[in-house]
Amino acid sequence: MKLQPAVKKETLRIAAGTGIGAAVMLAVFALMGRMSGPVALSGILGSVIAVVNFLFLGVTVQRVAAQAEEARGRKIMQFSYNIRMLLMLVWIILAVTFPVFNWVAAALPLLFPRITIAVMQLTGYYNKQGAAPENADPQKEE
């Protein structure tokens, strides 16, 4: 299955927002005098996991949209959700269990995609239906 341009574009936006969030988080850790190798490692890996989670969500939505059967699509979405939440739970358990990670720096990036979406909604980037306005992308493909 080929990744649709909309999924690529939104994943890149989420990756940018998550990267900015991670940079701010690491700066706050540094300002508090708590920056360490485990904090940096946890922040980076947590950010990667958050973006991959969003990408898998996009791929699942793309796959479900191609389904003819609504009930099957619902099952696919539910299964995907369960697997994605399980993987994030495993990440948090690993971060809490192993001292090579900082659990706070591991968990916070999982919130950054939602924060990015909220900021985009508050700034008017997304309209009420959830789509980006027509003039939002100056390099829009014709």
Side-chain angles (χ1 to χ4, degrees), residues 14-139:
I14 294 301
T18 301
I20 291 167
V24 169
M25 178 191 73
L26 294 175
V28 169
F29 269 96
L31 288 172
M32 292 175 20
R34 303 284 186 176
M35 178 55 87
S36 65
V39 168
L41 177 64
S42 300
I44 292 168
L45 287 178
S47 297
V48 168
I49 289 168
V51 172
V52 168
N53 178 51
F54 186 84
L55 175 62
F56 286 162
L57 170 64
V59 168
T60 302
V61 169
Q62 178 180 319
R63 184 174 168 207
V64 167
Q67 283 289 324
E69 214 178 305
E70 184 180 334
R72 178 154 167 74
R74 229 181 263 135
K75 286 180 183 177
I76 291 170
M77 281 299 292
Q78 186 62 53
F79 180 75
S80 168
Y81 175 80
N82 291 340
I83 294 298
R84 290 183 296 107
M85 292 304 111
L86 180 64
L87 291 175
M88 287 196 297
L89 178 64
V90 167
W91 164 239
I92 296 301
I93 290 170
L94 289 173
V96 169
T97 304
F98 293 102
V100 70
F101 299 116
N102 177 291
W103 74 269
V104 174
L108 284 177
L110 301 180
L111 302 174
F112 295 158
R114 288 182 187 219
I115 293 170
T116 301
I117 292 167
V119 167
M120 290 170 68
Q121 288 173 333
L122 288 172
T123 58
Y125 184 79
Y126 287 123
N127 62 25
K128 290 182 182 177
Q129 288 78 30
E134 291 297 320
N135 58 359
D137 190 359
Q139 297 178 350

